[in-house]
């Protein structure tokens, strides 16, 4: 049996399929051997093209990025109760909470998104997480867990930020202490359902705004166990440049960090 490294890191790029500028960035990071997982927004504008790109990269593990906010519903109009107004899902997690959709409505949309994922990729997702970390809201978490149990999906994200108090200029970074506390409470639901997940997450407060300096700072002192670094690279952006900088791999290899995918949990 192969020994498990004391420190393991999953680097996941979110929002694959949202648009060509994101897809090209995710694939560039994957081709460089940095990003090994990508979560797919099946109601994104370029998801069909993204699926073709994934076919060319068999080593890239793809998961379902469940969208309960900031997207158009996959389910038919009028079938999701308070979750939608016309075809639009809530603009953000706060609006979703104010609409107070039932777990059944959230699960119905999750099932529709899973079906679209399977049609695009010909297989179940390797893992599941939620757009804008909507799973910190208990009804969304319940829908996500039920979806995984129904369909034999065993791996999920734990949206518990390792450094929730980290200073950041990104919008709503101040919410991470609360989101992390709620996520840790929801961890019990994952354990009861027999789901596998990393011990913690990194990158939440800097979402989409990582630089070379901040990225290296995050990974230089990883604790023992498995950490998921969540990234949002965009073509031409500083975050993509930081991911492609050879200094990142040198830093991780020098510290003995094993880079893995969700499939390795």
């Amino acid at each position: 049996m192969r020994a498990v490294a004391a420190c393991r890191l999953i680097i996941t790029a979110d929002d694959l399929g949202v648009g060509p500028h994101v897809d090209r960035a995710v694939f560039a990071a994957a081709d460089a051997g940095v990003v090994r997982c990508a979560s797919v927004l099946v109601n994104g504008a370029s998801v069909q093209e993204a699926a073709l790109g994934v076919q060319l990269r068999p080593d890239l593990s793809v998961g379902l990025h469940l969208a309960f906010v900031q997207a158009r519903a996959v389910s038919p109009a009028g079938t999701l109760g308070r979750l939608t107004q016309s075809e639009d899902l809530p603009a953000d997690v706060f609006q979703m909470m104010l609409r107070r959709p039932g777990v059944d409505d959230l699960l119905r949309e999750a099932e529709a998104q899973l079906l679209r994922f399977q049609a695009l990729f010909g297989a179940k997702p390797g893992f599941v997480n939620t757009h804008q970390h909507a799973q910190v809201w208990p009804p969304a978490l319940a829908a996500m867990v039920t979806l995984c149990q129904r369909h034999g999906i065993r791996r999920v994200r734990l949206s518990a930020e390792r450094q929730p108090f980290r200073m950041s200029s990104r919008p709503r970074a101040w919410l991470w202490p609360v989101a992390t506390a709620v996520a840790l409470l929801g961890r019990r639901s994952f354990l009861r359902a027999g789901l596998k997940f990393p011990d913690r997450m990194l990158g939440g407060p800097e979402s989409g705004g990582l630089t070379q300096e901040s990225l290296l700072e995050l990974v230089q002192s990883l604790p023992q166990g498995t950490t998921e670094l969540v990234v949002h690279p965009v073509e031409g952006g500083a975050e993509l440049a930081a991911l492609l900088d050879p200094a990142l791999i040198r830093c991780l290899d020098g510290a003995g960090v094993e880079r893995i995918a969700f499939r390795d949990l």
Side-chain angles (χ1 to χ4, degrees):
M1 179 180 291
R2 184 173 63 91
V4 176
C7 183
R8 305 198 300 173
L9 180 67
I10 299 171
I11 303 181
T12 304
D14 280 354
D15 299 336
L16 184 63
V18 74
H21 61 303
V22 171
D23 299 345
R24 287 192 290 266
V26 172
F27 290 143
D31 292 342
V34 177
V35 164
R36 298 192 176 182
C37 297
S39 53
V40 179
L41 199 68
V42 298
N43 33 14
S46 62
V47 69
Q48 292 186 349
E49 292 81 2
L52 295 176
V54 169
Q55 290 180 11
L56 301 175
R57 297 166 175 86
D59 291 335
L60 180 63
S61 175
V62 289
L64 175 60
H65 198 44
L66 279 177
F68 297 130
V69 300
Q70 289 187 345
R72 290 207 163 196
V74 174
S75 302
T79 64
L80 296 178
R82 290 191 295 265
L83 181 60
T84 57
Q85 294 176 353
S86 68
E87 297 178 349
D88 293 327
L89 294 165
D92 54 35
V93 175
F94 290 109
Q95 190 180 104
M96 178 180 66
M97 293 167 66
L98 288 173
R99 290 187 188 179
R100 296 172 60 196
V103 174
D104 288 346
D105 293 330
L106 291 160
L107 182 56
R108 188 173 297 112
E109 175 61 15
E111 291 276 7
Q113 292 183 26
L114 175 61
L115 282 175
R116 179 173 289 185
F117 183 100
Q118 292 173 316
L120 287 164
F121 295 95
K124 293 186 297 187
F127 57 94
V128 175
N129 56 44
T130 52
H131 190 46
Q132 296 297 309
H133 303 279
Q135 68 201 60
V136 299
W137 190 50
L141 177 70
M144 174 181 164
V145 170
T146 301
L147 181 81
C148 291
Q149 289 180 302
R150 282 184 179 178
H151 298 279
I153 302 167
R154 309 310 307 165
R155 295 164 178 85
V156 294
R157 169 179 294 164
L158 179 67
S159 293
E161 170 64 36
R162 184 195 173 214
Q163 300 181 5
F165 295 98
R166 184 178 172 87
M167 296 298 294
S168 172
S169 61
R170 304 299 294 173
R172 294 182 175 171
W174 55 273
L175 286 170
W176 274 102
V178 176
T180 295
V182 176
L184 288 172
L185 291 174
R187 180 177 181 273
R188 292 177 295 184
S189 297
F190 291 164
L191 291 172
R192 285 195 296 266
L195 301 177
K196 297 181 179 181
F197 49 90
D199 298 305
R200 64 196 68 84
M201 190 190 84
L202 269 179
E206 294 94 344
S207 178
L210 285 168
T211 63
Q212 181 190 32
E213 181 182 3
S214 60
L215 180 57
L216 290 176
E217 186 179 345
L218 283 177
V219 302
Q220 278 173 346
S221 58
L222 291 173
Q224 290 192 349
T226 303
T227 302
E228 181 188 12
L229 173 63
V230 180
V231 298
H232 297 81
V234 176
E235 191 174 39
E239 188 158 303
L240 176 60
L243 289 167
L244 297 180
D245 192 308
L248 174 61
I249 299 300
R250 287 199 301 268
C251 176
L252 295 173
D253 289 347
V257 176
E258 182 184 7
R259 291 175 286 126
I260 66 169
F262 268 90
R263 65 168 70 95
D264 300 313
L265 291 178

